[in-house]
mmCIF file with all atom_site columns, all heavy atoms in Angstrom:
data_model
loop_
_atom_site.group_PDB
_atom_site.id
_atom_site.type_symbol
_atom_site.label_atom_id
_atom_site.label_alt_id
_atom_site.label_comp_id
_atom_site.label_asym_id
_atom_site.label_entity_id
_atom_site.label_seq_id
_atom_site.pdbx_PDB_ins_code
_atom_site.Cartn_x
_atom_site.Cartn_y
_atom_site.Cartn_z
_atom_site.occupancy
_atom_site.B_iso_or_equiv
_atom_site.pdbx_formal_charge
_atom_site.auth_seq_id
_atom_site.auth_comp_id
_atom_site.auth_asym_id
_atom_site.auth_atom_id
_atom_site.pdbx_PDB_model_num
ATOM 1  N N   . TYR A 1 58 ? 9.032  13.526 -10.788 1.00 0.00 ? 58 TYR A N   1
ATOM 2  C CA  . TYR A 1 58 ? 10.239 12.710 -10.616 1.00 0.00 ? 58 TYR A CA  1
ATOM 3  C C   . TYR A 1 58 ? 10.862 13.060 -9.289  1.00 0.00 ? 58 TYR A C   1
ATOM 4  O O   . TYR A 1 58 ? 10.981 14.241 -8.933  1.00 0.00 ? 58 TYR A O   1
ATOM 5  C CB  . TYR A 1 58 ? 11.200 13.001 -11.789 1.00 0.00 ? 58 TYR A CB  1
ATOM 6  C CG  . TYR A 1 58 ? 12.570 12.403 -11.599 1.00 0.00 ? 58 TYR A CG  1
ATOM 7  C CD1 . TYR A 1 58 ? 12.750 11.021 -11.651 1.00 0.00 ? 58 TYR A CD1 1
ATOM 8  C CD2 . TYR A 1 58 ? 13.677 13.208 -11.375 1.00 0.00 ? 58 TYR A CD2 1
ATOM 9  C CE1 . TYR A 1 58 ? 14.010 10.468 -11.477 1.00 0.00 ? 58 TYR A CE1 1
ATOM 10 C CE2 . TYR A 1 58 ? 14.931 12.666 -11.213 1.00 0.00 ? 58 TYR A CE2 1
ATOM 11 C CZ  . TYR A 1 58 ? 15.097 11.295 -11.274 1.00 0.00 ? 58 TYR A CZ  1
ATOM 12 O OH  . TYR A 1 58 ? 16.339 10.744 -11.087 1.00 0.00 ? 58 TYR A OH  1
ATOM 13 N N   . ARG A 1 59 ? 11.279 12.057 -8.509  1.00 0.00 ? 59 ARG A N   1
ATOM 14 C CA  . ARG A 1 59 ? 11.745 12.289 -7.147  1.00 0.00 ? 59 ARG A CA  1
ATOM 15 C C   . ARG A 1 59 ? 13.186 11.838 -6.890  1.00 0.00 ? 59 ARG A C   1
ATOM 16 O O   . ARG A 1 59 ? 13.659 11.902 -5.763  1.00 0.00 ? 59 ARG A O   1
ATOM 17 C CB  . ARG A 1 59 ? 10.799 11.589 -6.169  1.00 0.00 ? 59 ARG A CB  1
ATOM 18 C CG  . ARG A 1 59 ? 9.400  12.169 -6.284  1.00 0.00 ? 59 ARG A CG  1
ATOM 19 C CD  . ARG A 1 59 ? 8.403  11.433 -5.451  1.00 0.00 ? 59 ARG A CD  1
ATOM 20 N NE  . ARG A 1 59 ? 8.658  11.654 -4.035  1.00 0.00 ? 59 ARG A NE  1
ATOM 21 C CZ  . ARG A 1 59 ? 8.026  11.026 -3.077  1.00 0.00 ? 59 ARG A CZ  1
ATOM 22 N NH1 . ARG A 1 59 ? 7.119  10.126 -3.352  1.00 0.00 ? 59 ARG A NH1 1
ATOM 23 N NH2 . ARG A 1 59 ? 8.321  11.252 -1.826  1.00 0.00 ? 59 ARG A NH2 1
ATOM 24 N N   . GLY A 1 60 ? 13.883 11.340 -7.921  1.00 0.00 ? 60 GLY A N   1
ATOM 25 C CA  . GLY A 1 60 ? 15.272 10.922 -7.733  1.00 0.00 ? 60 GLY A CA  1
ATOM 26 C C   . GLY A 1 60 ? 15.381 9.614  -6.970  1.00 0.00 ? 60 GLY A C   1
ATOM 27 O O   . GLY A 1 60 ? 14.467 8.809  -6.963  1.00 0.00 ? 60 GLY A O   1
ATOM 28 N N   . PRO A 1 61 ? 16.505 9.377  -6.306  1.00 0.00 ? 61 PRO A N   1
ATOM 29 C CA  . PRO A 1 61 ? 16.715 8.121  -5.571  1.00 0.00 ? 61 PRO A CA  1
ATOM 30 C C   . PRO A 1 61 ? 15.720 7.963  -4.409  1.00 0.00 ? 61 PRO A C   1
ATOM 31 O O   . PRO A 1 61 ? 15.325 8.956  -3.788  1.00 0.00 ? 61 PRO A O   1
ATOM 32 C CB  . PRO A 1 61 ? 18.150 8.238  -5.031  1.00 0.00 ? 61 PRO A CB  1
ATOM 33 C CG  . PRO A 1 61 ? 18.781 9.291  -5.852  1.00 0.00 ? 61 PRO A CG  1
ATOM 34 C CD  . PRO A 1 61 ? 17.700 10.221 -6.276  1.00 0.00 ? 61 PRO A CD  1
ATOM 35 N N   . VAL A 1 62 ? 15.342 6.742  -4.109  1.00 0.00 ? 62 VAL A N   1
ATOM 36 C CA  . VAL A 1 62 ? 14.361 6.454  -3.068  1.00 0.00 ? 62 VAL A CA  1
ATOM 37 C C   . VAL A 1 62 ? 14.930 6.591  -1.657  1.00 0.00 ? 62 VAL A C   1
ATOM 38 O O   . VAL A 1 62 ? 14.191 6.677  -0.692  1.00 0.00 ? 62 VAL A O   1
ATOM 39 C CB  . VAL A 1 62 ? 13.752 5.037  -3.282  1.00 0.00 ? 62 VAL A CB  1
ATOM 40 C CG1 . VAL A 1 62 ? 14.724 3.934  -2.869  1.00 0.00 ? 62 VAL A CG1 1
ATOM 41 C CG2 . VAL A 1 62 ? 12.430 4.894  -2.561  1.00 0.00 ? 62 VAL A CG2 1
ATOM 42 N N   . GLU A 1 63 ? 16.231 6.662  -1.527  1.00 0.00 ? 63 GLU A N   1
ATOM 43 C CA  . GLU A 1 63 ? 16.886 6.662  -0.210  1.00 0.00 ? 63 GLU A CA  1
ATOM 44 C C   . GLU A 1 63 ? 16.321 7.735  0.722   1.00 0.00 ? 63 GLU A C   1
ATOM 45 O O   . GLU A 1 63 ? 16.039 7.461  1.899   1.00 0.00 ? 63 GLU A O   1
ATOM 46 C CB  . GLU A 1 63 ? 18.397 6.825  -0.363  1.00 0.00 ? 63 GLU A CB  1
ATOM 47 C CG  . GLU A 1 63 ? 19.109 6.805  0.980   1.00 0.00 ? 63 GLU A CG  1
ATOM 48 C CD  . GLU A 1 63 ? 20.619 6.959  0.850   1.00 0.00 ? 63 GLU A CD  1
ATOM 49 O OE1 . GLU A 1 63 ? 21.113 7.291  -0.249  1.00 0.00 ? 63 GLU A OE1 1
ATOM 50 O OE2 . GLU A 1 63 ? 21.302 6.760  1.859   1.00 0.00 ? 63 GLU A OE2 1
ATOM 51 N N   . ALA A 1 64 ? 16.158 8.952  0.226   1.00 0.00 ? 64 ALA A N   1
ATOM 52 C CA  . ALA A 1 64 ? 15.671 10.042 1.096   1.00 0.00 ? 64 ALA A CA  1
ATOM 53 C C   . ALA A 1 64 ? 14.261 9.754  1.621   1.00 0.00 ? 64 ALA A C   1
ATOM 54 O O   . ALA A 1 64 ? 13.953 10.028 2.773   1.00 0.00 ? 64 ALA A O   1
ATOM 55 C CB  . ALA A 1 64 ? 15.695 11.371 0.338   1.00 0.00 ? 64 ALA A CB  1
ATOM 56 N N   . THR A 1 65 ? 13.415 9.152  0.789   1.00 0.00 ? 65 THR A N   1
ATOM 57 C CA  . THR A 1 65 ? 12.057 8.820  1.210   1.00 0.00 ? 65 THR A CA  1
ATOM 58 C C   . THR A 1 65 ? 12.078 7.728  2.275   1.00 0.00 ? 65 THR A C   1
ATOM 59 O O   . THR A 1 65 ? 11.352 7.798  3.278   1.00 0.00 ? 65 THR A O   1
ATOM 60 C CB  . THR A 1 65 ? 11.208 8.372  0.012   1.00 0.00 ? 65 THR A CB  1
ATOM 61 O OG1 . THR A 1 65 ? 11.153 9.444  -0.939  1.00 0.00 ? 65 THR A OG1 1
ATOM 62 C CG2 . THR A 1 65 ? 9.794  7.986  0.413   1.00 0.00 ? 65 THR A CG2 1
ATOM 63 N N   . VAL A 1 66 ? 12.918 6.717  2.089   1.00 0.00 ? 66 VAL A N   1
ATOM 64 C CA  . VAL A 1 66 ? 13.031 5.633  3.072   1.00 0.00 ? 66 VAL A CA  1
ATOM 65 C C   . VAL A 1 66 ? 13.571 6.179  4.394   1.00 0.00 ? 66 VAL A C   1
ATOM 66 O O   . VAL A 1 66 ? 13.063 5.833  5.473   1.00 0.00 ? 66 VAL A O   1
ATOM 67 C CB  . VAL A 1 66 ? 13.917 4.482  2.539   1.00 0.00 ? 66 VAL A CB  1
ATOM 68 C CG1 . VAL A 1 66 ? 14.206 3.464  3.611   1.00 0.00 ? 66 VAL A CG1 1
ATOM 69 C CG2 . VAL A 1 66 ? 13.242 3.818  1.337   1.00 0.00 ? 66 VAL A CG2 1
ATOM 70 N N   . LEU A 1 67 ? 14.576 7.024  4.337   1.00 0.00 ? 67 LEU A N   1
ATOM 71 C CA  . LEU A 1 67 ? 15.123 7.630  5.554   1.00 0.00 ? 67 LEU A CA  1
ATOM 72 C C   . LEU A 1 67 ? 14.061 8.476  6.275   1.00 0.00 ? 67 LEU A C   1
ATOM 73 O O   . LEU A 1 67 ? 13.989 8.479  7.508   1.00 0.00 ? 67 LEU A O   1
ATOM 74 C CB  . LEU A 1 67 ? 16.361 8.462  5.262   1.00 0.00 ? 67 LEU A CB  1
ATOM 75 C CG  . LEU A 1 67 ? 17.600 7.657  4.820   1.00 0.00 ? 67 LEU A CG  1
ATOM 76 C CD1 . LEU A 1 67 ? 18.727 8.605  4.417   1.00 0.00 ? 67 LEU A CD1 1
ATOM 77 C CD2 . LEU A 1 67 ? 18.043 6.708  5.917   1.00 0.00 ? 67 LEU A CD2 1
#
Side-chain angles (χ1 to χ4, degrees):
Y58 171 69
R59 298 174 69 188
V62 75
E63 182 180 11
T65 299
V66 172
L67 291 174

